[in-house]
Amino acid sequence: MKHIPFNKPFMAGNELRYIQQVCADGQFSGNGKFTKRCQAWLEESIGCGKALLTHSCTAALEMAAILIDIKPGDEIIMPSYTFVSTANAFVLRGGIPVLVDIREDTLNLDEKKVERVITGRTKAIVPMHYAGTACEMGAIMDIARRHNLAVIEDAAHGIMAKYKESYLGSIGDLAALSFHETKNIISGEGGALLINDKRLYERAEIIWEKGTNRSLFLKGQVDKYSWVDIGSSYLPNEITAAFLWAQLEKAGKITQRRLWLWSMYQKSFLGLEMSGVLRRQVIRKECAHNAHMYYLLLPGAKERDKLISFLKKNNITAPFHYVPLHLAAAGRRYCRIPDKLPVTEEVSQRLLRLPLWAGMKDRTIKHVIDTVIKGLSV
């Protein structure tokens, strides 16, 4: 079989037609009709208060840091097992990420370790929903309310996933989504800031519009717009929004297909888990995941790297995931690491991700499964 990549961007069907509409309309800059459609879909489907499309999830996180007024020395609690953007967005404002260990089951921020690292400088908690499986948001929101902290959901992996009855992105004060080509719903590069605190709506639009009150001007609430606050160019162009709209139209079908593929992996590796060869993903009963990724946990780095090498020789790309932030040079420079992080360090040595995308053929996933099983037997 020919090379099987880790990810292959999935085309929902109407992307090129909608891009042609943008070209025919002649409005290429952001905040046109496709941007508005996407934002309305997110607000209605996720149940968030307000949605603003951004050119990346990183941009949405940067906006969130500005909205909660991160100042030099402010502390932000987050997992070490996450992508660099989770931390960078706050470091750019002078904030200090406080890195906490993860749970052994879901690999999410360990909510039991959060309260002990809160100080007088703590400003926010940033739970990152790893692999599209929800953090324990009930406990996290309770801690935040008792300590008067903001909660910013890093839901880069989380579109269409739920914690209990709530979609990820609708629970915290703010949330960030990703539409990068490796995510479930894509626009090449892209993201969205979801705002659930009504007090932040107006300022969010100002920051989004380069620090101007242009949104108020377009609504007829002021007779001219000008520079009123800090901000930047966070809008995506309309071509990106048109591509994204084609994806959002099929979000349910895309998620359904990914869940089916995920379940194929999960069922196929049950026997190996029962034999102690590996550990499969854990989905807690209060979580409805979105099949963002399928990973396996091998006994150690030696076994993990051996399987990655075997798959590579058989034309299958299966990467590991994050180098923990606290082990990176910039993490040691910019972050506070109050405790040892044994689960994070162990998981980062054991985790392997298998190919998964919505357009994956049944025969392709069967070949990957068979090759994994063969690789673990040699």
Side-chain angles (χ1 to χ4, degrees):
M1 184 172 283
K2 64 181 181 180
H3 175 246
I4 299 173
F6 167 67
N7 177 69
K8 186 181 289 185
F10 177 73
M11 297 286 282
N14 284 325
E15 288 87 351
L16 296 179
R17 183 162 72 88
Y18 293 156
I19 289 170
Q20 285 179 330
Q21 286 184 28
V22 174
C23 295
D25 292 345
Q27 181 188 346
F28 297 92
S29 59
N31 207 11
K33 68 180 183 183
F34 285 107
T35 296
K36 290 179 172 64
R37 285 181 192 175
C38 292
Q39 291 175 169
W41 188 97
L42 292 169
E43 291 166 3
E44 181 179 345
S45 299
I46 292 177
C48 60
K50 186 176 185 61
L52 295 174
L53 289 194
T54 57
H55 54 72
S56 65
C57 183
T58 302
L61 288 166
E62 290 178 10
M63 284 184 67
I66 296 171
L67 275 169
I68 65 168
D69 289 319
I70 292 296
K71 300 286 196 305
D74 288 344
E75 295 186 342
I76 309 94
I77 298 168
M78 64 183 66
S80 178
Y81 198 64
T82 187
F83 190 57
V84 297
S85 293
T86 314
N88 257 334
F90 300 94
V91 172
L92 283 168
R93 312 302 312 164
I96 302 171
V98 178
L99 304 180
V100 175
D101 210 355
I102 55 175
R103 297 173 56 121
E104 292 184 357
D105 53 0
T106 61
L107 313 190
N108 280 324
L109 176 70
D110 189 339
E111 70 281 357
K112 294 183 176 65
K113 303 241 169 95
V114 170
E115 201 153 16
R116 71 178 73 170
V117 300
I118 293 173
T119 71
R121 297 188 300 274
T122 306
K123 197 74 174 281
I125 305 170
V126 184
M128 187 275 206
H129 303 298
Y130 186 71
T133 300
C135 294
E136 182 45 63
M137 291 304 295
I140 290 169
M141 295 302 293
D142 180 61
I143 292 168
R145 298 301 173 243
R146 285 190 282 107
H147 293 273
N148 194 30
L149 304 175
V151 174
I152 301 168
E153 295 178 71
D154 184 338
H157 296 179
I159 193 167
M160 303 290 286
K162 285 184 174 181
Y163 172 75
K164 296 184 177 178
E165 298 304 313
S166 299
Y167 281 104
L168 303 187
S170 70
I171 305 167
D173 301 290
L174 297 161
L177 297 177
S178 174
F179 303 118
H180 185 269
E181 70 168 42
T182 57
K183 301 303 188 291
N184 293 28
I185 307 299
I186 67 171
S187 60
E189 290 278 2
L193 177 69
L194 310 183
I195 307 136
N196 299 309
D197 184 340
K198 293 181 179 180
R199 297 170 297 178
L200 301 177
Y201 286 4
E202 185 174 318
R203 189 171 185 230
E205 286 192 336
I206 289 170
I207 293 166
W208 188 60
E209 287 275 19
K210 307 174 184 68
T212 73
N213 57 353
R214 183 171 181 268
S215 291
L216 295 179
F217 170 73
L218 294 175
K219 295 172 187 175
Q221 296 177 19
V222 295
D223 60 0
K224 59 184 177 181
Y225 71 90
S226 62
W227 183 21
V228 296
D229 200 348
I230 62 171
S232 190
S233 185
Y234 288 120
L235 284 76
N237 65 66
E238 198 63 9
I239 290 174
T240 298
F243 192 107
L244 178 60
W245 177 242
Q247 295 270 313
L248 291 175
E249 283 185 319
K250 301 289 179 66
K253 290 185 177 180
I254 291 170
T255 304
Q256 185 179 28
R257 176 61 180 171
R258 293 183 71 102
L259 285 166
W260 189 88
L261 292 164
W262 186 97
S263 69
M264 286 286 290
Y265 278 139
Q266 189 78 336
K267 288 185 291 187
S268 298
F269 299 129
L270 173 60
L272 290 171
E273 182 176 62
M274 294 179 69
S275 300
V277 175
L278 52 77
R279 202 204 84 182
R280 300 178 303 158
Q281 280 183 246
V282 173
I283 308 297
R284 302 178 70 217
K285 63 181 180 180
E286 62 267 39
C287 301
H289 75 108
N290 63 358
H292 171 60
M293 73 171 76
Y294 191 85
Y295 64 79
L296 295 172
L297 288 172
L298 280 297
K302 180 180 177 181
E303 293 85 353
R304 191 269 306 274
D305 295 347
K306 180 181 176 184
L307 182 56
I308 289 176
S309 178
F310 182 83
L311 293 172
K312 184 177 180 180
K313 288 176 183 176
N314 284 273
N315 291 318
I316 298 171
T317 299
F320 60 87
H321 218 172
Y322 311 118
V323 173
L325 298 183
H326 74 284
L327 298 180
R332 292 191 293 270
R333 186 182 314 131
Y334 296 120
C335 302
R336 184 166 76 86
I337 308 158
D339 295 312
K340 292 183 178 180
L341 308 175
V343 181
T344 298
E345 292 183 14
E346 182 187 1
V347 163
S348 70
Q349 295 295 308
R350 297 171 55 205
L351 188 140
L352 172 152
R353 296 179 293 163
L354 294 179
L356 177 60
W357 65 89
M360 199 174 187
K361 304 293 186 185
D362 292 3
R363 66 178 182 273
T364 304
I365 194 169
K366 185 178 185 304
H367 177 69
V368 175
I369 291 166
D370 291 343
T371 308
V372 168
I373 293 170
K374 182 178 178 182
L376 290 169
S377 66
V378 296

